[in-house]
Amino acid sequence: MTGENCARSFKVVGLLEVDLAVVLILIFAAISILFRTRVCLAGDTNSIAAHRLELRGTIKDSLGRPIAGAEVRLLEGGHAIARLRTDSAGAILFKSLAPGSYSVVATKQGYRQALQTIVLSSKKRSAPLIVTMEAKEALTLQLATARLDRARNDLSTEIGATAYRFDQPAIHKLPEGQNTNLAQVLQQAPGVSQDSYAQGQEQIHIHGENGGGIQYRINDIFMPEAVTSFGEIFSPRFVHSITLLTGVLPAEIGYRPEGVIDIRTKDGCTDGGPDNDNVEMYGGQRETVQPSFELGGCKGQFSYYFSGYYEHTSLGLQAPTDSPDPNHDYADQGQGFGYLSYLVNSDTRLSLVTGAAVNSFEIPPEPGLPQQFVLAGVPTYPSSQVKENELEQNYYGILSLQGAIGEHLNYQVAAFSRYYALKYSPDPIGDLIYNGVAAKILHTGFINGVQEDTSYKLGSSHTLRAGFYMSGEAIELDDHAQTFPATGGMQSSTTPISIFDDNNQIAWLLGFYAQDEWHPTEKLTINAGLRWDWMSAFVTQNQWSPRFAAEYLLTHSTTLHAGYARYFKVPPFDQVALETVQKFANTTNAAPINSGNDKIEAETDDYFDVGVRQRLLEGANVGIDGFYKFGHDQLDLAQLAGSVVTAPLNYRESRAWGSDFSLTFERYGLSAYLNFSYAVLQAQHISAGAFLADDADEIKYIANHWVTLDDDQMFVGSGGTSYKLWGFLLTADAIWGSGYRRGFANSGELPPIIQFNAAVVRSFRMPGVGKVEGRVSMINVFDHTYQIRNGSGIGVFSPSYGPRRALYAGIKIPLASIFKGSP
């Protein structure tokens, strides 16, 4: 290479190096600028993103049901900035929105366009948006009924309480289905135990209480309890669902807080019609015959539902011996129920509930008893021939107006009326010889009252509830007795004398309440309330009763609850006056204590409860609940004058504690449940009604010692299962109890109670008839003999045994098939 060429080459290379350096500098500068710009932009973006918000909500119809497939546009300044279509849950979600005002427009065929404006703020979290779309066509009666039912549910709350529900499918799975009486249904809930009384209606106790403190409500209306009845008044046949509430009850519950049995009745629009109207014939051993029917429907704005049954059996009351066929134990029971409603408009419903129950019972005697007294002209009279009878009548009606005003206000006002009568007819010879008294007892009552409840949703966090209750009851207590004169407690004449005692009383109840259900967070709910109650009957009392309960969603499957309640439990008004007792002085029916206090007062309790509900896995749930109470003027019932009629008494102090466990599983066609409860109820010093007890030494002992009350079983359990196999429903249930109290001051305990029941059910279609259901049930499958009572204990004089094994069968056919072809 020549020198000139080398010089030229170095010059070019130099220029290239210079140019390359400049390019590199320029590229580095550009990258630096770009990097800095990107950092700034990222900072701005993060700053904006920090203020970006989400808009969540749901599109619903006027019945509160989600609307799927609705076209939803989000407008800002009148311009659409986003759009979506709702899913099956009617949900909407718009993301990355800046603070400001937006409009949500929802459209769908068959509905009127809905528009709603919302302001999003970075300082305050907005509640989920709910957009309601109105259907272009008028709501059907069925849809309006469903909406009003949901609105009625808003009138009450269960926060803090423990709820056990039985719907019609659950009742159908019980061995006797709808032929199961209400008490037997409730025995499948934790803490509920059976007692003696009628085959058609066992008495029940909740955690050992027996002060007449169980409250029955029909469609949220409190139905005052009548005097003690053997027969069934409310049947599962007309029930859409039953909810048993125990624990800390909300402020709307007053007067009878041992437990609340809330019955939601069937409605012709939702539970009637050709597929549900039926007649059934059920019966079997013990000469049992029980026909029944259901009929319902709706037309225009009107809905109706009727049901009824009649039962005849030779095993009316629980037998005093272990015989499967006791003497003189026939019973006839009949019941009718009706529900009528009229839809005034889509937000207002007028309804009438009416029912009647007439029950007649023979009372089986205890054979082999020694004669206690001598009746002139009757040297011998076997106790197995004693014939006593009881007739019960109950009639009730509820007229209610229920509705909703806008989206926030719900109300129900109801007027109710109830008449009851209990007539006890003694054996005029046998009762004198074995009890020293033969008393014809008549208890009647006519109750009228009004109840009003209102709920108002105040924003997204508060639901306010308030209401009142007022009732007046005219009571008649007549006791026409034959008894023997006595001197020093010994019979002094074989010729009976007559004692007449007729009493009349007016009992008034008045109560007001207010409460707030508050959701301070998504997981925490607090319900705080206060009620005031006033009672004027044999005594006049009033009380302020605070209520407080909290429920916390610990996880998506774990819920904790706790609470406190002050209770004011009024006594049954079929009380015995001291004047009545004193009339029997110097007779064989004289009370061991014929003086003292006869003014039965309301029981006042301080009640604490804590519990947890846990979902173990899909279809499996467990609940554990613990309670403690201390009370004053504890109410209890004792048998009156050697009869099966009861009257109340008071203990000065009481205390109770225990826990409930429940486990349920429902999946793959298998339903199963298991309940176990522990409860102790103790009291001391009979402060009123001591003359109802039978032993002066016992009364003296109770004055200074805690005694367990006779209706308390320390341990109680129940369980059941059902499974669908090859078109058959196989079902079984069981109850178990550690045994009721017995002996002096209830110091002993009877052997455990246990009973298994089972059934096979099959539905099939019969040509020309329709869907037919057959059922075969067996009660006490293993024929286990157990004694419920042995005739001893405080205020207990009659022994009773559980039912022996019995086989029943039934067939249910459509009602329309009977009238097919009729002119």
Side-chain angles (χ1 to χ4, degrees):
M1 179 180 295
T2 63
E4 185 179 352
N5 290 336
C6 289
R8 189 181 297 113
S9 298
F10 282 116
K11 185 177 181 180
V12 172
V13 172
L15 290 173
L16 289 174
E17 289 177 347
V18 173
D19 292 342
L20 181 60
V22 173
V23 171
L24 290 175
I25 292 172
L26 292 175
I27 291 174
F28 177 79
I31 291 174
S32 176
I33 294 171
L34 181 63
F35 176 76
R36 293 185 178 184
T37 303
R38 185 174 180 181
V39 170
C40 293
L41 289 174
D44 293 342
T45 302
N46 289 334
S47 176
I48 296 172
H51 296 284
R52 290 291 179 176
L53 306 170
E54 291 184 349
L55 173 59
R56 294 178 180 269
T58 308
I59 309 298
K60 296 184 177 181
D61 64 14
S62 56
L63 299 180
R65 301 174 304 179
I67 298 177
E71 184 74 24
V72 182
R73 292 176 295 147
L74 183 66
L75 306 183
E76 183 180 21
H79 301 285
I81 60 173
R83 65 179 67 236
L84 55 77
R85 189 177 296 271
T86 58
D87 59 14
S88 59
I92 58 173
L93 172 60
F94 294 104
K95 296 182 178 181
S96 300
L97 301 178
S101 178
Y102 297 89
S103 296
V104 176
V105 180
T107 57
K108 186 178 180 180
Q109 186 176 0
Y111 293 87
R112 292 185 174 88
Q113 179 176 285
L115 184 147
Q116 193 159 331
T117 300
I118 186 171
V119 176
L120 298 181
S121 171
S122 59
K123 297 181 180 180
K124 183 178 179 181
R125 183 178 179 181
S126 300
L129 180 68
I130 297 179
V131 179
T132 301
M133 300 185 69
E134 183 181 354
K136 292 181 179 179
E137 297 181 359
L139 291 173
T140 66
L141 182 55
Q142 289 91 338
L143 295 179
T145 297
R147 176 179 183 271
L148 288 170
D149 286 344
R150 282 191 291 271
R152 186 167 57 197
N153 291 339
D154 287 339
L155 296 173
S156 60
T157 181
E158 298 174 359
I159 300 300
T162 304
Y164 307 99
R165 289 185 176 82
F166 304 87
D167 55 15
Q168 269 299 320
I171 294 172
H172 179 264
K173 292 175 183 177
L174 295 175
E176 293 192 275
Q178 289 185 322
N179 300 292
T180 310
N181 65 62
L182 183 60
Q184 290 173 340
V185 172
L186 296 169
Q187 286 171 31
Q188 306 307 313
V192 181
S193 60
Q194 75 164 140
D195 202 342
S196 50
Y197 281 79
Q199 177 74 5
Q201 177 67 39
E202 286 88 348
Q203 187 187 27
I204 61 172
H205 304 294
I206 300 176
H207 297 143
E209 300 274 2
N210 187 27
I214 298 177
Q215 180 171 152
Y216 291 85
R217 297 170 76 89
I218 300 179
N219 295 337
D220 275 331
I221 305 299
F222 171 36
M223 180 54 63
E225 182 69 351
V227 295
T228 302
S229 299
F230 291 148
E232 186 173 70
I233 300 174
F234 307 124
S235 167
R237 191 166 281 103
F238 65 73
V239 165
H240 179 79
S241 66
I242 305 171
T243 300
L244 172 63
L245 289 177
T246 61
V248 173
L249 302 174
E252 68 255 30
I253 305 298
Y255 309 118
R256 306 206 182 280
E258 290 176 10
V260 177
I261 301 170
D262 189 7
I263 299 173
R264 300 301 171 100
T265 63
K266 290 183 177 179
D267 182 282
C269 284
T270 56
D271 302 289
D275 293 335
N276 297 300
D277 297 345
N278 63 78
V279 292
E280 182 176 9
M281 179 60 73
Y282 185 78
Q285 288 184 273
R286 317 292 183 250
E287 301 182 37
T288 302
V289 178
Q290 183 177 316
S292 62
F293 78 93
E294 291 185 80
L295 173 65
C298 58
K299 185 177 182 180
Q301 305 297 96
F302 181 71
S303 171
Y304 62 91
Y305 171 84
F306 298 99
S307 70
Y309 82 93
Y310 164 78
E311 180 184 27
H312 171 83
T313 179
S314 64
L315 185 62
L317 303 186
Q318 304 288 18
T321 68
D322 61 1
S323 170
D325 297 296
N327 181 41
H328 191 71
D329 201 9
Y330 282 93
D332 292 280
Q333 303 183 69
Q335 183 191 107
F337 174 84
Y339 175 83
L340 306 173
S341 71
Y342 180 77
L343 193 67
V344 179
N345 55 52
S346 61
D347 293 321
T348 310
R349 174 172 56 186
L350 181 68
S351 63
L352 174 67
V353 170
T354 182
V358 179
N359 309 307
S360 175
F361 294 96
E362 294 179 339
I363 300 172
E366 184 178 2
L369 296 177
Q371 295 189 181
Q372 301 295 317
F373 304 95
V374 179
L375 176 63
V378 185
T380 60
Y381 195 89
S383 63
S384 60
Q385 301 302 313
V386 174
K387 296 183 177 180
E388 302 165 333
N389 299 275
E390 184 163 301
L391 174 66
E392 304 165 359
Q393 300 178 71
N394 280 274
Y395 309 93
Y396 59 91
I398 303 172
L399 181 65
S400 62
L401 181 68
Q402 181 251 328
I405 301 176
E407 295 292 327
H408 303 287
L409 181 66
N410 298 301
Y411 67 89
Q412 180 169 258
V413 58
F416 58 85
S417 187
R418 179 172 186 177
Y419 173 81
Y420 63 85
L422 181 152
K423 182 180 180 182
Y424 172 79
S425 300
D427 185 317
I429 298 174
D431 279 16
L432 278 168
I433 292 175
Y434 291 97
N435 299 323
V437 61
K440 291 183 178 179
I441 300 173
L442 175 67
H443 286 179
T444 67
F446 187 42
I447 310 170
N448 293 282
V450 62
Q451 176 181 324
E452 196 279 334
D453 299 279
T454 301
S455 70
Y456 181 77
K457 292 184 178 180
L458 183 62
S460 60
S461 300
H462 294 270
T463 300
L464 307 179
R465 296 182 175 94
F468 71 90
Y469 172 93
M470 181 177 67
S471 69
E473 180 176 356
I475 307 163
E476 181 181 353
L477 308 171
D478 297 341
D479 185 354
H480 297 180
Q482 292 276 303
T483 188
F484 295 115
T487 302
M490 301 298 293
Q491 181 181 357
S492 59
S493 173
T494 60
T495 301
I497 60 175
S498 298
I499 294 178
F500 298 95
D501 185 71
D502 296 340
N503 293 285
N504 295 282
Q505 179 73 32
I506 301 293
W508 294 97
L509 290 177
L510 177 64
F512 298 89
Y513 76 90
Q515 62 186 340
D516 177 21
E517 182 180 328
W518 176 36
H519 300 268
T521 69
E522 291 183 358
K523 293 186 175 183
L524 178 64
T525 303
I526 296 173
N527 190 61
L530 181 68
R531 68 173 295 123
W532 177 79
D533 295 300
W534 175 81
M535 175 188 76
S536 178
F538 290 87
V539 298
T540 299
Q541 291 178 263
N542 70 86
Q543 177 177 289
W544 290 96
S545 302
R547 310 282 174 88
F548 178 86
E551 192 168 272
Y552 184 72
L553 187 63
L554 185 63
T555 69
H556 71 282
S557 60
T558 306
T559 303
L560 308 177
H561 71 266
Y564 162 79
R566 178 76 167 162
Y567 289 140
F568 181 77
K569 182 166 66 177
V570 301
F573 295 132
D574 49 333
Q575 302 175 17
V576 178
L578 184 60
E579 180 183 353
T580 299
V581 178
Q582 292 173 340
K583 287 183 178 181
F584 286 92
N586 300 317
T587 72
T588 52
N589 191 45
I593 297 179
N594 59 9
S595 61
N597 185 13
D598 66 336
K599 304 301 183 183
I600 306 297
E601 298 192 4
E603 177 184 334
T604 59
D605 297 320
D606 290 278
Y607 193 98
F608 303 86
D609 184 275
V610 61
V612 58
R613 296 190 301 272
Q614 175 71 48
R615 184 172 65 85
L616 301 176
L617 47 88
E618 186 177 352
N621 297 277
V622 65
I624 302 175
D625 196 75
F627 68 91
Y628 179 83
K629 85 156 189 177
F630 57 89
H632 300 278
D633 298 315
Q634 172 76 36
L635 288 165
D636 197 15
L637 299 179
Q639 287 181 260
L640 175 63
S643 70
V644 292
V645 180
T646 61
L649 54 81
N650 281 133
Y651 291 88
R652 179 170 295 169
E653 296 177 276
S654 66
R655 60 189 183 186
W657 61 90
S659 60
D660 294 327
F661 169 85
S662 65
L663 174 65
T664 61
F665 178 82
E666 186 158 2
R667 201 175 179 190
Y668 309 120
L670 174 67
S671 295
Y673 60 92
L674 177 66
N675 305 311
F676 184 79
S677 298
Y678 163 73
V680 176
L681 175 59
Q682 297 179 333
Q684 66 176 349
H685 192 100
I686 301 179
S687 55
F691 44 77
L692 291 169
D694 189 47
D695 189 329
D697 292 334
E698 192 174 51
I699 296 170
K700 184 178 180 181
Y701 177 86
I702 298 168
N704 300 294
H705 296 82
W706 288 100
V707 296
T708 303
L709 297 193
D710 62 280
D711 299 299
D712 177 41
Q713 294 188 86
M714 185 172 291
F715 299 103
V716 172
S718 63
T721 184
S722 65
Y723 185 66
K724 294 180 179 179
L725 179 66
W726 303 328
F728 291 89
L729 174 66
L730 310 178
T731 177
D733 66 20
I735 58 172
W736 175 83
S738 59
Y740 283 109
R741 311 305 298 182
R742 64 174 176 84
F744 180 83
N746 296 335
S747 56
E749 190 176 54
L750 288 168
I753 291 170
I754 187 168
Q755 179 178 320
F756 291 89
N757 310 308
V760 178
V761 186
R762 178 63 188 266
S763 297
F764 54 92
R765 289 204 168 271
M766 182 180 294
V769 176
K771 184 179 179 181
V772 176
E773 180 182 275
R775 180 184 297 264
V776 178
S777 308
M778 182 171 287
I779 305 304
N780 198 352
V781 173
F782 302 107
D783 201 23
H784 174 70
T785 302
Y786 62 89
Q787 192 174 37
I788 301 175
R789 302 284 189 176
N790 73 345
S792 68
I794 303 170
V796 179
F797 308 115
S798 300
S800 61
Y801 281 77
R804 297 292 297 274
R805 180 166 53 208
L807 183 65
Y808 302 101
I811 185 169
K812 183 187 297 185
I813 63 175
L815 188 62
S817 65
I818 297 178
F819 301 101
K820 185 177 296 185
S822 300

